[in-house]
Structures are given as C-alpha cells and as structure tokens.
C-alpha cells in the first residue's frame, strides 16, 4: 500500500514550493495512493522477517496505510505486530492503529516493514522518513523496505507532469497530483546506504516490492544470525509483486 507520512500534530504542506522542515509530516495528495490490493506483499514480508531474523519477535508496520497489511502480518505469524499510520481516517484494520505519531513510538523493533512509502515522497521528506525508519530498527534487527520501480512501472503512466528529480513524476489524478519516484537496479540500495547510520548494512532482495532492500542493524551480539541469513534474501522473479497506481 502506498501512503503519506504525517504526524497528526503537524500541518500538511499547503504548496509544493514551500521549504520543508526535516520532520515527519504530510505531503499533499500522497494519501490518495492508499490501496487495498497488495496484502500479498505483506505475506511475503512477514515470511521474510521470520527467515532473516528467526529470533525476532516484534514488528513495526511503518506507514500502515489502511491497516490491511498489519492484519495480514498478524494473521500469518505469531509475531507481535505494531502499526504506525499518521493518517488513520480511512483505517480498515481489525484493531485500532497503535501509533499516529512517530515521535511517540516506544522502543525499537526486531523488524520494521516499510512498503511503498518512500516512492510517494519528495526528496527532502523522503530522506527524513528513510532515516526515521532506520531509527526504529533495534540492534540485531532488520528493516524490510520496498518501493515501486521506474522502468516498466511508473514510466508507463499516461497522465503526469514532470518534476526536477530523475525518474520522478507527478501523477495527475482527479483528487490532485501525486508524487511518484521509481527505483531501479541498485538505486534503492545505494539510497538507503547513503543515509544509514554506522553499523548498518543494506542488501538487495526480491519479491516484496518492485524494488526491495533489507537494512540490517549489525550493532549487536548475535548479528551472526543475520549474516548467515544472506543466502535467504533472493526470490525468483515470478515472486515479484506489481504495484498499480
């Protein structure tokens, strides 16, 4: 599910030209990208979480959208799954959203799942959110980050406006323009590596988003479990899930 990030105490941006603070806040139009048809991505994500980090017990669904992905992960595991969705007005989860403000999230998590969030954010806000995602990964934990791609995905959009960013467009919708940035090849891996704190490691994966990476926090005793899991990261091409507009 694609969605925007907004602390409920903050005001959304009134225009795209306004300078943004480096904080977790809203972006005009991005909430309109929430969709209910990609729960299969979450089934794969929770399966990966158990394979990559078998000793992990806690999961944060960061940018949970409608809440259907949170439900899917809870229904397909015995792990303790927590939801974070700043804009919960359209929430459809079976239980209330756990957090609507990132700053109130307590502690860190063995696994943080962040699917199709970064691709709907403009650069400055995207950087802030990517850093925030990594800040929630506990020592010895892993982040599962998936985005849309550019080639054969976002570049096939018919109604759009150009932006100043490479492989990024404003998708024209009746409800308003929506920012979409595609990541191909190693672009998402390189991007997350450029923002990762010391002791973090980023690996490419397949099968969850159009482009998927795993962000490991190796700052822990017992990280050998994660290092040994590197052979589990690849999936066959047929496992890749397309994400529609």
């Amino acid at each position: 599910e694609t969605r925007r990030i907004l602390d409920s105490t903050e005001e959304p941006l009134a225009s795209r030209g306004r300078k943004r603070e480096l904080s977790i806040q809203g972006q005009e139009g991005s909430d309109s990208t929430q969709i209910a048809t990609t729960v299969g991505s979450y089934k794969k994500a929770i399966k990966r979480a158990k394979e990559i980090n078998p000793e992990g017990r806690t999961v944060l669904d960061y940018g949970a959208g409608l809440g259907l992905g949170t439900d899917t992960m809870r229904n397909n595991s015995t792990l303790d799954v927590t939801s974070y969705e700043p804009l919960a007005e359209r929430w459809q989860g079976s239980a209330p959203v756990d957090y609507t403000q990132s700053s109130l999230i307590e502690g860190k998590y063995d696994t943080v799942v962040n699917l199709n969030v970064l691709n709907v954010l403009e650069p400055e806000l995207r950087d802030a959110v990517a850093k925030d995602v990594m800040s929630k990964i506990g020592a010895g934990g892993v982040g599962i980050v998936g985005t849309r791609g550019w080639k054969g995905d976002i570049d096939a959009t018919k109604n759009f406006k150009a932006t100043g960013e490479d492989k990024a467009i404003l998708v024209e919708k009746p409800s308003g323009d929506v920012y979409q940035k595609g990541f191909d090849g190693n672009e998402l891996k390189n991007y997350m590596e450029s923002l990762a704190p010391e002791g973090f490691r980023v690996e490419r994966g397949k099968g969850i988003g159009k482009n998927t990476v795993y962000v490991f926090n190796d700052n822990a005793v017992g990280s050998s479990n994660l290092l040994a899991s590197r052979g589990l990261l690849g999936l066959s091409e047929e496992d890749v899930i397309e994400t529609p507009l």
Side-chain angles (χ1 to χ4, degrees), residues 1-3 33 35 38 41 114-120 145-158 167 169 171 173 178-185 187-188 208-212 240-245:
E1 298 153 13
T2 49
R3 49 239 164 208
T33 63
I35 57 177
T38 57
S41 299
N114 180 253
L115 300 185
N116 292 347
V117 173
L118 298 181
N119 51 273
V120 300
V145 180
T147 68
R148 294 185 61 181
W150 173 255
K151 187 176 181 180
D153 186 3
I154 294 174
D155 73 339
T157 304
K158 294 182 178 179
K167 296 184 178 179
I169 59 175
V171 180
K173 291 188 174 185
V178 177
Y179 202 89
Q180 286 284 4
K181 159 70 176 174
F183 292 85
D184 293 334
E187 290 171 348
L188 182 59
I208 296 173
K210 190 72 174 181
N211 201 324
T212 305
V240 175
I241 293 179
E242 299 286 345
T243 306
L245 287 174

Side-chain angles (χ1 to χ4, degrees), residues 1-239:
E1 298 153 13
T2 49
R3 49 239 164 208
R4 65 174 168 174
I5 301 303
L6 170 71
D7 270 357
S8 60
T9 58
E10 300 179 25
E11 292 295 326
L13 299 177
S15 68
R16 296 184 180 279
R18 183 182 300 176
K19 183 177 180 180
R20 296 167 182 77
E21 296 179 358
L22 286 180
S23 60
I24 310 307
Q25 59 184 351
Q27 180 171 290
E28 181 181 354
S30 56
D31 59 334
S32 68
T33 63
Q34 297 180 8
I35 57 177
T37 58
T38 57
V39 294
S41 299
Y42 287 90
K43 289 182 180 179
K44 291 181 180 293
I46 201 65
K47 178 181 178 182
R48 271 309 187 216
K50 292 184 288 185
E51 292 174 341
I52 296 170
N53 193 4
E55 296 181 2
R57 293 293 178 266
T58 59
V59 178
L60 175 64
D61 186 5
Y62 188 110
L66 302 176
L68 303 181
T70 302
D71 283 353
T72 297
M73 291 192 289
R74 288 171 176 166
N75 293 338
N76 286 271
S77 76
T78 58
L79 302 181
D80 182 6
V81 181
T82 299
S83 58
Y84 163 52
E85 174 49 51
L87 292 176
E89 293 85 355
R90 298 173 59 205
W91 189 257
Q92 298 177 20
S94 59
V97 62
D98 294 303
Y99 291 101
T100 59
Q101 295 183 48
S102 174
S103 60
L104 297 182
I105 296 176
E106 299 177 351
K108 297 180 184 292
Y109 292 79
D110 298 319
T111 302
V112 177
V113 176
N114 180 253
L115 300 185
N116 292 347
V117 173
L118 298 181
N119 51 273
V120 300
L121 303 177
E122 295 180 43
E124 193 171 11
L125 178 56
R126 185 188 311 133
D127 289 353
V129 170
K131 291 176 182 178
D132 195 49
V133 167
M134 289 186 280
S135 77
K136 310 302 184 190
I137 304 170
V142 61
I144 299 176
V145 180
T147 68
R148 294 185 61 181
W150 173 255
K151 187 176 181 180
D153 186 3
I154 294 174
D155 73 339
T157 304
K158 294 182 178 179
N159 300 314
F160 66 91
K161 299 174 183 176
T163 72
E165 184 179 17
D166 184 42
K167 296 184 178 179
I169 59 175
L170 289 172
V171 180
E172 296 179 317
K173 291 188 174 185
S175 58
D177 296 344
V178 177
Y179 202 89
Q180 286 284 4
K181 159 70 176 174
F183 292 85
D184 293 334
N186 285 321
E187 290 171 348
L188 182 59
K189 177 179 182 292
N190 294 340
Y191 172 69
M192 296 300 290
E193 284 181 333
S194 72
L195 300 173
E198 183 178 355
F200 279 62
R201 171 172 51 88
V202 183
E203 300 282 353
R204 280 194 66 185
K206 293 182 180 180
I208 296 173
K210 190 72 174 181
N211 201 324
T212 305
V213 297
Y214 303 89
V215 182
F216 297 95
N217 181 350
D218 288 337
N219 294 300
V221 175
S223 294
S224 57
N225 289 333
L226 298 182
L227 291 169
S229 71
R230 293 179 66 175
L232 295 173
L233 300 186
L235 288 177
S236 62
E237 290 298 327
E238 58 265 25
D239 288 327

